[in-house]
Amino acid sequence: MFLINCPYCGERDQSEFSAGGEAHIVRPKQPTELSDDQWAEFLFMRKNIKGIQLERWNHAHGCRKWFNMVRDTSNDKIHAVYKMGEKPPIK
Amino acid sequence: MNKNLRTTNSNFIDQTSRISFKFDGKTLYGFKGDTLASALLANDIHLVGRSFKYHRPRGIMTCGSEEPNAIVQLGNDLSMTEPNTRATEIELYEGLEATSQNCWPSVNFDIGAINNFLSPFLPAAFYYKTFMWPASFWKKYEYFIRKSAGLGKSPTKPDKDIYDHRYLHCDVLIVGGGISGIIAAKIAAQNNLNTVLLDDKNNLGGTTIFQDNECFKINNSYSNEWLKKEIESLNSFKNLTIKKRTTLAAYHSYNYLLARENLTDHLSLDEKKNKIRQRLWKIRAKKVIIASGAMERPLIFNNNDRPGIILSTSIKKYIDYYGVKCGQKISLFTNNDTAYETAISLNKSGVSVNSVIDIRDKSNSAIVKEAEKLGIKIYWKHTVVNTSGYKRINSIELMKLSDDGTAVVENKTKEECDCLGISGGWTPRVHLFTQSGGKLKFIDKDNIFLPDKSVSEQISIGSCNGDFELDDVIKNSIKSIKNFLNINSSDYENLKINCSKETDKKNIWLLPSNKPLGKTKPFLDFQNDSTAKDVKLALREGFKSIEHVKRYTTTGMGTDQGKLSNMHALGIIAETAEVKMSELGTTTFRPPYTPLTFGAIVGRNVGEFFDITRRTPIHEWHVEQKAEFENVGQWKRAWYYPKSKETMYEAVQRESKAARDSAGILDASTLGKIDIQGSDASEFLNRVYTNAWSKLEIGKCRYGLMLNEDGMVYDDGVTTRLGENHYIMTTTTGGAANVLSKLEDYLQTEWPELDVYLTSVTDNYATVSICGPNSKKILSKVIPDLDLSDKEFPHMSFKNALINNIKCRVMRISFTGEHSYEINIQSNYGKSLWEKCIEAGNEFNITPYGTEAMHLLRAEKGFIIAGQDTDGTMTPVDLQMDWIISKKKYDFIGKRSLYRSDTIREDRKQLVGLLTDDPKEVLEEGAQIVAEAKKKPVEMLGHVTSSYFSPNLNKSIALAVVVNGKKLKGQKMFVPMENKTINVTITDTVFLDKENKRLNA
Amino acid sequence: MLNYNSPINDTKKYPEIEISEVEPIIKLNLRGKNRDFITKVGKVLSIIPPTDPNTSSGNDNLSILWLGPDEWMVYANDKNALNDRGILEDKLFNEISKVKLGSVTNVTDHLVMINIRGNKVFELLSTGCPFNFNDFMNSKGATTQTLLNHVDIIIHNKNVNDLNLFVRRSFSNHLWSWINDSASRL
Amino acid sequence: MKNKYSIFSLIKNAFSYHENWQRAWRDPEPKKEYDAIIIGGGGHGLATAFYLAKKHGMKNIAVVEKGWIGGGNTGRNTTIIRSNYLWDASAGLYDHALKIWEGLSQELNYNVMFSQRGVMNLAHNLQDVRDLKRRTHANRLNGIDAVWLNTEEVKNFCPIINTSPDIRYPVLGGTLQKRAGTARHDAVAWGYARGADAMGVDIIQNCEVKGIKRNGDSVEGIETTKGFIKTKKIGVVAAGHSSVIANMVDIKLPLESKPLQALVSEPVKPIIDTVVMSNAVHAYVSQSDKGELVIGAGTDAYVSYTQRGSHDVVEGTLKAILELYPIFSRMKMLRQWGGIVDICPDASPIISKTHIKGLYFNCGWGTGGFKATPGSGDLFAHTIANDEPHKLNADFNINRFVSGDLVDEHGAAAVAH
């Protein structure tokens, strides 16, 4: 069970959170302009990185806020958390 | 044969309190403080079980959790019996009953032992190579294989015991109450850290606590005496929690650990009653100190598995700790100094030690000198080549080792004995370290794996970190503890420690014999009967990785998880394959460290607490009315209200008819309700629903359809505009939670610019829905001063109202097609309002109807239920609800997906109505629909999603999805059932009141 | 006349622990993002909503709990604290929601308030709550949202070994019997 | 084929103390070039190689495996085999596999212990009942032996299930496929490896793929820890690591790799003689020939390549086990482990060509890949050999995520296969 540092509430047990998948996949502003391929890219295609991944989490059973996390999927180490709209703290 | 095998020099056993117990039906006696194993040994019983494959007689081999052989069935009560318990871990209690496993008819005469003679034909993995002919016979072969496999028996009645959980957060968790653990606990506690110390035994002190030997002294007192005082000193710390009988089961990432505390397993049958049996501690520790010690290794030689062959330090523990002699003529066989401590202890207790057989050329350590002084015979550079005695060892044969240790030379010597102590050195318990994700390194000089890189806030100290000499253990432990906890000084700065140091080392993974390997039985995994030969066979056949060998030979797959066998397996693989141990790597130790009862893992989440039960404010009334309930998610919803002897069908027919003939009342409180406020509320709704919302007037309601981004129908419900920036949205019962978090997600991540706030108010309101031609009359009795005229209060509109001064919201909306109202009132008034409505409706025979009738009524009108008529593959167009897709809106969730090449197809599956040619014939929901009755195989065009007998139309009706259904109205179709084919016709989805007259009736 | 049926309406005593449903009193959920919202709420309630996470503020009549960076809950300390529930809600609604400063939602019956007091309060919570109470238990007014045996709860640390627990009404009967079962085994 | 396995060969070898058994497969160094290379030495990959050699005459091929063959999900799953899927495409795919299973031990001369003890899926709410009945009707019309059982019949077929109406989610019935069952997972990998090796296939272990060399839009070979290997056809069967390979050629797949956990109890004498699955209450269990209860837990919601999941998942599963089998409360968990499963949005696999010539992907099996092993290998071999999908895997192309023509099995198996 991870110990996740909610940017708003502080360190909490993983069971209070829900995972939301890869981060920074922005919903296209003009979907109608997109080809089926481009839309599918947004809808389904994922990097599914083994290594440092930026992903979304929600403090579902706490403050209900969504935030981003920098996590190494090869060892589950959480490197950082940051609020929605903020830039990833690491490159 | 009642020899006295008890000594009186143990202060851990209370010889004044005698305990009676049964083993294989025979009544025996032991003392308080005994384990089942020590008590059996005291009764001169070594043979306790039969091995897994060859059914060879097996005895007690250890004194702890690594025991591979002495596993028994505990208790014989059908609900309380427990298979595969280790005799070496069971504390003796009054009334204990244990029986041998995996033998028939008895452990002394076991038919299965035939396998022992067939063993030449049953090498490792033989089953992959046979039982293939004839093909159809595998099931028969398998029947016998399954019967002979398995060990103990599962209970066959539900467990009566209770288990529970506790969460625990601490600064420092120390695992293991041996000497290094004790030191760690004291240092941590003295520095005001919130400290927890765990030990799986009922006594702290590890092996040092029974080390009373001239050669081992701390500050001039015997090591065990010194340690006793240290342990006593721990009681003074308030910030130190000590948990005995508590086994660390699993070490997960982020220092999340699971430990099982045994609360009643050691109590007598009466004392156990109504107490929590085991507690699972869920521990989150800032720092973890592993002091889990080391396990003594066996030696691998021919017939090394006979009852009476015991690890040497276990023999020492039995004599020094439990005061039990494992035999009267004991030989010891070793490759290190440990056995000499045992020899000296035995000698002290007056047990004659035949000799110590040592594979080393010599040793000059103090402890060996001490043994020699006592006149104990030592065979240097010798090995045991064979043992005899079927059910109990009675003699051994030894020979001299060649210089390179690969062969034996000169003559055999035979030595009679009733017990053989063996010691192959020590294996640090690195299991927990590896569970935590740490990597190991191999130390060639000691032939051990040690913790290398750690990934969590954690250290290993003492022998689990490779320190085996008393002075190293203490000094290095103190050093690393201080370092780890950032502490400068401790009580232990200048301890004076004397101890015997090992001077010579020698290790031979597989000891040679005078017979060819093929003719010998050098056991590696005692429980699974895998031998050194099996490992070599696996390698010969190309199984090179340890994981392959393990799986192919089942070495280390027993209930002991190979605690004793893994190292030798690795050693033999490395030797045979001529690779370095370090390159070979080790097998992964998976949790749990020792087997963990399901009950403890589940805790109290059983029965009533298996899952949450959600109740509506009106629940009690439904119960009083003997309603049958339906599970909808975690909710309990009234399903139907059977009167006297009514069947479900009859009740539902009556309820549905009454609702249209006069009046029905439904508890709709479970519908999700989301309060929406903010200046962008309308824009927000535009984006989440398929239809347009900006123009919805205040006080009006509108039905909305919500899609997934992939264009498929996700949820639906009515949303009401309460004010300029204020809406209340309703969702499906099952969808409520998901819809809210999905909407929050969009608000927070995609549209942060929107000024909108969402608050769940599902539980704040009870929702009473009244429908039917008389609903208006009834409501006017309940809320006299509310103008219900169609002009003032038309369909799809809302009014605030007061009922006896209590605010409520009344919506005129309908899910049945009848004239109907939904009253939302503060939950705590819900039941009272409900009763008030019933009272007001009595004169109109108002009828409470449940979810089943509700489903029927809406089906008559062709209204969908998301999740029943849709399955995540239906678009609004497929549902023939094109009208609800705003053409004007630029975008909404899922819009783009509706225009993909597959979703724009005209001939997708579409929602239609179905009428059976025989109006009495009610279709089965889920039944498939085809165009040709006879053809096989036949293409399936769709399936029945909802189906009922309509009491109001007096015929069977159904909703279905059918390929190209829109165009097929009037078409004949077939529903092929197992035994018959039902003729149906595709129709419109609306069966009743197409003109919606009843809405305003 | 409509009768008021709170879901539990009961008090249970165990060694060193007492559990009771507090007779329902007004609870409001407040949402807002900017300073004006904070000051306005402060004006209306004469209490400033706390901006530090996991804290609360209050006076004799009211408590305001921090639920998130833009979410608070106001509740009356007892049913006599405010004679008219309506006024407070309407006042806040008109001064906040109406003028687009944020949202005000009545959750009085949405949440059930259970008071737990006694020396074993935190031992009781440790039987099903992953939250770390080590510091929490010593800080009066501390507030948290977490899970108790898989049920969402809000906890307000009123006083030493005396706290209010809020749970959604539909879960309350289930949680109540769970808590009692747990308390009976401490 | 090399030395045949049988009771006679066992007896014969006994007299030479089993010291004359031949290797099950060679341990060759990679050649300079192969006609085709399969990346991934799990069951699916080895089966692919086996059928490429056996049915399509491609003998100059290699299987490269970064660890040891069968060390991934093949050796980590709960070995459930069934074909009672909802959609025609899935039913076709999985039943094709099931038919091969039925003769596999003989085809491989390796006892994979395929045991047709039946698989039962339980229904716990009214929607379950609708969904499972819908599936059963579809199965029947697709010629798959699935039948609906009422609660009493469920009890008769597996007496230890708690079918009391008083439990939280009572058993309202279930479906049964008698031809379904379990097999010995390791044996499948080893049997295919031995068979493929005998036909000349090179099985190269401890050989990690570091890159894929392309010339324009066609493949030229793979960079590995054992050097460059030339080839014109690459079949990727890397399960949880599919995306890792895909990222080497900048292909994005609709996959997420998540931890899937499983556990076994200590071995006991036979107590449950079939496979029981329950999605609503989420527990599935069978008993191995060794006597262990084999229990599948669920996946975690986050991506992870660590082969470890969160404890809550295991607790949740055992909670459900005890709800349905209260008699197991005193049984003990012996071992728990995790695998990495690559999951598609529609819970169906991808067996497909790509826009890169000579590059083929077989992935997205999620939690249900084991049961398909032989069929997957056979169809993937066909696809690689002919550069065209077989009609049975035509629907499982990558393009379905663009067109929207998904094979959505969520309804049928939301939790696990």
Side-chain angles (χ1 to χ4, degrees), chain B residues 120 282 435 596 611 924 976, chain D residues 18 137 140 169 308 315 333:
Chain B
K282 299 177 170 184
Q435 275 184 31
L596 187 56
D611 193 19
E924 180 171 286
Chain D
H18 301 283
H137 286 294
R140 196 184 74 250
Y169 300 105
R308 329 160 78 198
E315 181 178 317
M333 172 167 83

mmCIF file with all atom_site columns, all heavy atoms in Angstrom, chain B residues 120 282 435 596 611 924 976, chain D residues 18 137 140 169 308 315 333:
data_model
loop_
_atom_site.group_PDB
_atom_site.id
_atom_site.type_symbol
_atom_site.label_atom_id
_atom_site.label_alt_id
_atom_site.label_comp_id
_atom_site.label_asym_id
_atom_site.label_entity_id
_atom_site.label_seq_id
_atom_site.pdbx_PDB_ins_code
_atom_site.Cartn_x
_atom_site.Cartn_y
_atom_site.Cartn_z
_atom_site.occupancy
_atom_site.B_iso_or_equiv
_atom_site.pdbx_formal_charge
_atom_site.auth_seq_id
_atom_site.auth_comp_id
_atom_site.auth_asym_id
_atom_site.auth_atom_id
_atom_site.pdbx_PDB_model_num
ATOM 1   N N   . PRO B 1 120 ? 12.101  -45.289 -7.775  1.00 0.00 ? 120 PRO B N   1
ATOM 2   C CA  . PRO B 1 120 ? 12.973  -45.237 -8.961  1.00 0.00 ? 120 PRO B CA  1
ATOM 3   C C   . PRO B 1 120 ? 12.224  -44.820 -10.223 1.00 0.00 ? 120 PRO B C   1
ATOM 4   O O   . PRO B 1 120 ? 12.788  -44.208 -11.121 1.00 0.00 ? 120 PRO B O   1
ATOM 5   C CB  . PRO B 1 120 ? 13.476  -46.668 -9.087  1.00 0.00 ? 120 PRO B CB  1
ATOM 6   C CG  . PRO B 1 120 ? 13.399  -47.228 -7.701  1.00 0.00 ? 120 PRO B CG  1
ATOM 7   C CD  . PRO B 1 120 ? 12.192  -46.571 -7.077  1.00 0.00 ? 120 PRO B CD  1
ATOM 8   N N   . LYS B 1 282 ? -1.952  -4.040  10.746  1.00 0.00 ? 282 LYS B N   1
ATOM 9   C CA  . LYS B 1 282 ? -1.542  -3.347  9.520   1.00 0.00 ? 282 LYS B CA  1
ATOM 10  C C   . LYS B 1 282 ? -0.670  -2.178  9.959   1.00 0.00 ? 282 LYS B C   1
ATOM 11  O O   . LYS B 1 282 ? -1.182  -1.184  10.461  1.00 0.00 ? 282 LYS B O   1
ATOM 12  C CB  . LYS B 1 282 ? -2.766  -2.872  8.749   1.00 0.00 ? 282 LYS B CB  1
ATOM 13  C CG  . LYS B 1 282 ? -3.669  -4.024  8.319   1.00 0.00 ? 282 LYS B CG  1
ATOM 14  C CD  . LYS B 1 282 ? -4.910  -3.496  7.612   1.00 0.00 ? 282 LYS B CD  1
ATOM 15  C CE  . LYS B 1 282 ? -5.686  -4.633  6.960   1.00 0.00 ? 282 LYS B CE  1
ATOM 16  N NZ  . LYS B 1 282 ? -6.851  -4.124  6.188   1.00 0.00 ? 282 LYS B NZ  1
ATOM 17  N N   . GLN B 1 435 ? 11.291  -9.256  0.486   1.00 0.00 ? 435 GLN B N   1
ATOM 18  C CA  . GLN B 1 435 ? 9.878   -8.878  0.276   1.00 0.00 ? 435 GLN B CA  1
ATOM 19  C C   . GLN B 1 435 ? 9.740   -7.370  0.105   1.00 0.00 ? 435 GLN B C   1
ATOM 20  O O   . GLN B 1 435 ? 8.939   -6.889  -0.680  1.00 0.00 ? 435 GLN B O   1
ATOM 21  C CB  . GLN B 1 435 ? 9.039   -9.302  1.479   1.00 0.00 ? 435 GLN B CB  1
ATOM 22  C CG  . GLN B 1 435 ? 8.559   -10.733 1.442   1.00 0.00 ? 435 GLN B CG  1
ATOM 23  C CD  . GLN B 1 435 ? 7.651   -11.008 2.627   1.00 0.00 ? 435 GLN B CD  1
ATOM 24  O OE1 . GLN B 1 435 ? 6.945   -10.122 3.108   1.00 0.00 ? 435 GLN B OE1 1
ATOM 25  N NE2 . GLN B 1 435 ? 7.672   -12.232 3.104   1.00 0.00 ? 435 GLN B NE2 1
ATOM 26  N N   . LEU B 1 596 ? -0.550  -17.791 6.339   1.00 0.00 ? 596 LEU B N   1
ATOM 27  C CA  . LEU B 1 596 ? -1.412  -16.861 7.057   1.00 0.00 ? 596 LEU B CA  1
ATOM 28  C C   . LEU B 1 596 ? -2.869  -17.264 6.835   1.00 0.00 ? 596 LEU B C   1
ATOM 29  O O   . LEU B 1 596 ? -3.302  -17.428 5.697   1.00 0.00 ? 596 LEU B O   1
ATOM 30  C CB  . LEU B 1 596 ? -1.158  -15.461 6.496   1.00 0.00 ? 596 LEU B CB  1
ATOM 31  C CG  . LEU B 1 596 ? -1.792  -14.248 7.148   1.00 0.00 ? 596 LEU B CG  1
ATOM 32  C CD1 . LEU B 1 596 ? -1.420  -14.185 8.618   1.00 0.00 ? 596 LEU B CD1 1
ATOM 33  C CD2 . LEU B 1 596 ? -1.317  -12.983 6.441   1.00 0.00 ? 596 LEU B CD2 1
ATOM 34  N N   . ASP B 1 611 ? -20.049 -6.653  3.141   1.00 0.00 ? 611 ASP B N   1
ATOM 35  C CA  . ASP B 1 611 ? -20.105 -5.436  2.341   1.00 0.00 ? 611 ASP B CA  1
ATOM 36  C C   . ASP B 1 611 ? -21.105 -4.471  2.959   1.00 0.00 ? 611 ASP B C   1
ATOM 37  O O   . ASP B 1 611 ? -21.997 -4.874  3.696   1.00 0.00 ? 611 ASP B O   1
ATOM 38  C CB  . ASP B 1 611 ? -20.509 -5.758  0.889   1.00 0.00 ? 611 ASP B CB  1
ATOM 39  C CG  . ASP B 1 611 ? -20.277 -4.570  -0.031  1.00 0.00 ? 611 ASP B CG  1
ATOM 40  O OD1 . ASP B 1 611 ? -19.504 -3.672  0.343   1.00 0.00 ? 611 ASP B OD1 1
ATOM 41  O OD2 . ASP B 1 611 ? -20.889 -4.542  -1.126  1.00 0.00 ? 611 ASP B OD2 1
ATOM 42  N N   . GLU B 1 924 ? -37.445 -14.623 -22.415 1.00 0.00 ? 924 GLU B N   1
ATOM 43  C CA  . GLU B 1 924 ? -36.441 -14.599 -21.350 1.00 0.00 ? 924 GLU B CA  1
ATOM 44  C C   . GLU B 1 924 ? -35.458 -13.467 -21.630 1.00 0.00 ? 924 GLU B C   1
ATOM 45  O O   . GLU B 1 924 ? -34.948 -13.338 -22.740 1.00 0.00 ? 924 GLU B O   1
ATOM 46  C CB  . GLU B 1 924 ? -35.710 -15.933 -21.295 1.00 0.00 ? 924 GLU B CB  1
ATOM 47  C CG  . GLU B 1 924 ? -34.641 -15.999 -20.226 1.00 0.00 ? 924 GLU B CG  1
ATOM 48  C CD  . GLU B 1 924 ? -34.094 -17.421 -20.048 1.00 0.00 ? 924 GLU B CD  1
ATOM 49  O OE1 . GLU B 1 924 ? -34.812 -18.265 -19.475 1.00 0.00 ? 924 GLU B OE1 1
ATOM 50  O OE2 . GLU B 1 924 ? -32.958 -17.671 -20.500 1.00 0.00 ? 924 GLU B OE2 1
ATOM 51  N N   . PRO B 1 976 ? -34.636 -18.456 -30.559 1.00 0.00 ? 976 PRO B N   1
ATOM 52  C CA  . PRO B 1 976 ? -34.405 -19.892 -30.357 1.00 0.00 ? 976 PRO B CA  1
ATOM 53  C C   . PRO B 1 976 ? -34.021 -20.190 -28.910 1.00 0.00 ? 976 PRO B C   1
ATOM 54  O O   . PRO B 1 976 ? -33.038 -19.673 -28.399 1.00 0.00 ? 976 PRO B O   1
ATOM 55  C CB  . PRO B 1 976 ? -33.221 -20.189 -31.291 1.00 0.00 ? 976 PRO B CB  1
ATOM 56  C CG  . PRO B 1 976 ? -32.543 -18.885 -31.521 1.00 0.00 ? 976 PRO B CG  1
ATOM 57  C CD  . PRO B 1 976 ? -33.480 -17.779 -31.168 1.00 0.00 ? 976 PRO B CD  1
ATOM 58  N N   . HIS D 2 18  ? 17.995  -42.564 -14.349 1.00 0.00 ? 18  HIS D N   1
ATOM 59  C CA  . HIS D 2 18  ? 17.535  -41.336 -15.013 1.00 0.00 ? 18  HIS D CA  1
ATOM 60  C C   . HIS D 2 18  ? 18.692  -40.428 -15.431 1.00 0.00 ? 18  HIS D C   1
ATOM 61  O O   . HIS D 2 18  ? 18.547  -39.219 -15.505 1.00 0.00 ? 18  HIS D O   1
ATOM 62  C CB  . HIS D 2 18  ? 16.560  -40.586 -14.098 1.00 0.00 ? 18  HIS D CB  1
ATOM 63  C CG  . HIS D 2 18  ? 15.360  -41.397 -13.742 1.00 0.00 ? 18  HIS D CG  1
ATOM 64  N ND1 . HIS D 2 18  ? 14.312  -41.595 -14.598 1.00 0.00 ? 18  HIS D ND1 1
ATOM 65  C CD2 . HIS D 2 18  ? 15.077  -42.106 -12.618 1.00 0.00 ? 18  HIS D CD2 1
ATOM 66  C CE1 . HIS D 2 18  ? 13.414  -42.382 -14.023 1.00 0.00 ? 18  HIS D CE1 1
ATOM 67  N NE2 . HIS D 2 18  ? 13.854  -42.713 -12.819 1.00 0.00 ? 18  HIS D NE2 1
ATOM 68  N N   . HIS D 2 137 ? -27.139 -18.185 -23.900 1.00 0.00 ? 137 HIS D N   1
ATOM 69  C CA  . HIS D 2 137 ? -27.876 -18.338 -25.167 1.00 0.00 ? 137 HIS D CA  1
ATOM 70  C C   . HIS D 2 137 ? -26.932 -18.157 -26.343 1.00 0.00 ? 137 HIS D C   1
ATOM 71  O O   . HIS D 2 137 ? -26.937 -18.954 -27.288 1.00 0.00 ? 137 HIS D O   1
ATOM 72  C CB  . HIS D 2 137 ? -29.015 -17.317 -25.236 1.00 0.00 ? 137 HIS D CB  1
ATOM 73  C CG  . HIS D 2 137 ? -30.176 -17.651 -24.358 1.00 0.00 ? 137 HIS D CG  1
ATOM 74  N ND1 . HIS D 2 137 ? -30.964 -18.752 -24.562 1.00 0.00 ? 137 HIS D ND1 1
ATOM 75  C CD2 . HIS D 2 137 ? -30.679 -17.038 -23.257 1.00 0.00 ? 137 HIS D CD2 1
ATOM 76  C CE1 . HIS D 2 137 ? -31.908 -18.805 -23.631 1.00 0.00 ? 137 HIS D CE1 1
ATOM 77  N NE2 . HIS D 2 137 ? -31.755 -17.768 -22.818 1.00 0.00 ? 137 HIS D NE2 1
ATOM 78  N N   . ARG D 2 140 ? -24.721 -21.185 -26.704 1.00 0.00 ? 140 ARG D N   1
ATOM 79  C CA  . ARG D 2 140 ? -25.428 -22.339 -27.259 1.00 0.00 ? 140 ARG D CA  1
ATOM 80  C C   . ARG D 2 140 ? -25.498 -22.226 -28.777 1.00 0.00 ? 140 ARG D C   1
ATOM 81  O O   . ARG D 2 140 ? -25.159 -23.150 -29.507 1.00 0.00 ? 140 ARG D O   1
ATOM 82  C CB  . ARG D 2 140 ? -26.830 -22.446 -26.655 1.00 0.00 ? 140 ARG D CB  1
ATOM 83  C CG  . ARG D 2 140 ? -27.487 -23.801 -26.875 1.00 0.00 ? 140 ARG D CG  1
ATOM 84  C CD  . ARG D 2 140 ? -28.899 -23.848 -26.344 1.00 0.00 ? 140 ARG D CD  1
ATOM 85  N NE  . ARG D 2 140 ? -29.835 -23.122 -27.176 1.00 0.00 ? 140 ARG D NE  1
ATOM 86  C CZ  . ARG D 2 140 ? -30.431 -21.978 -26.826 1.00 0.00 ? 140 ARG D CZ  1
ATOM 87  N NH1 . ARG D 2 140 ? -30.192 -21.429 -25.654 1.00 0.00 ? 140 ARG D NH1 1
ATOM 88  N NH2 . ARG D 2 140 ? -31.271 -21.385 -27.649 1.00 0.00 ? 140 ARG D NH2 1
ATOM 89  N N   . TYR D 2 169 ? -24.964 -11.118 -0.914  1.00 0.00 ? 169 TYR D N   1
ATOM 90  C CA  . TYR D 2 169 ? -25.299 -11.211 -2.342  1.00 0.00 ? 169 TYR D CA  1
ATOM 91  C C   . TYR D 2 169 ? -25.556 -12.672 -2.706  1.00 0.00 ? 169 TYR D C   1
ATOM 92  O O   . TYR D 2 169 ? -24.667 -13.366 -3.207  1.00 0.00 ? 169 TYR D O   1
ATOM 93  C CB  . TYR D 2 169 ? -24.177 -10.627 -3.205  1.00 0.00 ? 169 TYR D CB  1
ATOM 94  C CG  . TYR D 2 169 ? -23.903 -9.168  -2.927  1.00 0.00 ? 169 TYR D CG  1
ATOM 95  C CD1 . TYR D 2 169 ? -22.783 -8.768  -2.201  1.00 0.00 ? 169 TYR D CD1 1
ATOM 96  C CD2 . TYR D 2 169 ? -24.773 -8.180  -3.382  1.00 0.00 ? 169 TYR D CD2 1
ATOM 97  C CE1 . TYR D 2 169 ? -22.539 -7.422  -1.939  1.00 0.00 ? 169 TYR D CE1 1
ATOM 98  C CE2 . TYR D 2 169 ? -24.532 -6.835  -3.123  1.00 0.00 ? 169 TYR D CE2 1
ATOM 99  C CZ  . TYR D 2 169 ? -23.420 -6.461  -2.401  1.00 0.00 ? 169 TYR D CZ  1
ATOM 100 O OH  . TYR D 2 169 ? -23.184 -5.132  -2.141  1.00 0.00 ? 169 TYR D OH  1
ATOM 101 N N   . ARG D 2 308 ? 4.127   -6.609  -8.211  1.00 0.00 ? 308 ARG D N   1
ATOM 102 C CA  . ARG D 2 308 ? 3.557   -6.616  -6.867  1.00 0.00 ? 308 ARG D CA  1
ATOM 103 C C   . ARG D 2 308 ? 2.341   -5.696  -6.892  1.00 0.00 ? 308 ARG D C   1
ATOM 104 O O   . ARG D 2 308 ? 2.359   -4.658  -7.539  1.00 0.00 ? 308 ARG D O   1
ATOM 105 C CB  . ARG D 2 308 ? 4.546   -6.102  -5.827  1.00 0.00 ? 308 ARG D CB  1
ATOM 106 C CG  . ARG D 2 308 ? 5.990   -6.394  -6.167  1.00 0.00 ? 308 ARG D CG  1
ATOM 107 C CD  . ARG D 2 308 ? 6.936   -5.470  -5.416  1.00 0.00 ? 308 ARG D CD  1
ATOM 108 N NE  . ARG D 2 308 ? 7.084   -5.909  -4.023  1.00 0.00 ? 308 ARG D NE  1
ATOM 109 C CZ  . ARG D 2 308 ? 7.550   -5.109  -3.065  1.00 0.00 ? 308 ARG D CZ  1
ATOM 110 N NH1 . ARG D 2 308 ? 7.805   -3.855  -3.322  1.00 0.00 ? 308 ARG D NH1 1
ATOM 111 N NH2 . ARG D 2 308 ? 7.713   -5.569  -1.848  1.00 0.00 ? 308 ARG D NH2 1
ATOM 112 N N   . GLU D 2 315 ? -6.959  -8.779  0.161   1.00 0.00 ? 315 GLU D N   1
ATOM 113 C CA  . GLU D 2 315 ? -7.936  -8.827  1.254   1.00 0.00 ? 315 GLU D CA  1
ATOM 114 C C   . GLU D 2 315 ? -9.352  -8.876  0.682   1.00 0.00 ? 315 GLU D C   1
ATOM 115 O O   . GLU D 2 315 ? -10.179 -9.680  1.103   1.00 0.00 ? 315 GLU D O   1
ATOM 116 C CB  . GLU D 2 315 ? -7.780  -7.601  2.156   1.00 0.00 ? 315 GLU D CB  1
ATOM 117 C CG  . GLU D 2 315 ? -8.754  -7.587  3.325   1.00 0.00 ? 315 GLU D CG  1
ATOM 118 C CD  . GLU D 2 315 ? -8.553  -6.382  4.253   1.00 0.00 ? 315 GLU D CD  1
ATOM 119 O OE1 . GLU D 2 315 ? -7.392  -6.051  4.561   1.00 0.00 ? 315 GLU D OE1 1
ATOM 120 O OE2 . GLU D 2 315 ? -9.573  -5.776  4.645   1.00 0.00 ? 315 GLU D OE2 1
ATOM 121 N N   . MET D 2 333 ? -3.031  -18.943 3.599   1.00 0.00 ? 333 MET D N   1
ATOM 122 C CA  . MET D 2 333 ? -2.383  -18.481 2.378   1.00 0.00 ? 333 MET D CA  1
ATOM 123 C C   . MET D 2 333 ? -0.914  -18.871 2.452   1.00 0.00 ? 333 MET D C   1
ATOM 124 O O   . MET D 2 333 ? -0.212  -18.525 3.393   1.00 0.00 ? 333 MET D O   1
ATOM 125 C CB  . MET D 2 333 ? -2.511  -16.970 2.224   1.00 0.00 ? 333 MET D CB  1
ATOM 126 C CG  . MET D 2 333 ? -1.703  -16.410 1.071   1.00 0.00 ? 333 MET D CG  1
ATOM 127 S SD  . MET D 2 333 ? -2.153  -14.707 0.664   1.00 0.00 ? 333 MET D SD  1
ATOM 128 C CE  . MET D 2 333 ? -1.158  -13.844 1.875   1.00 0.00 ? 333 MET D CE  1
#
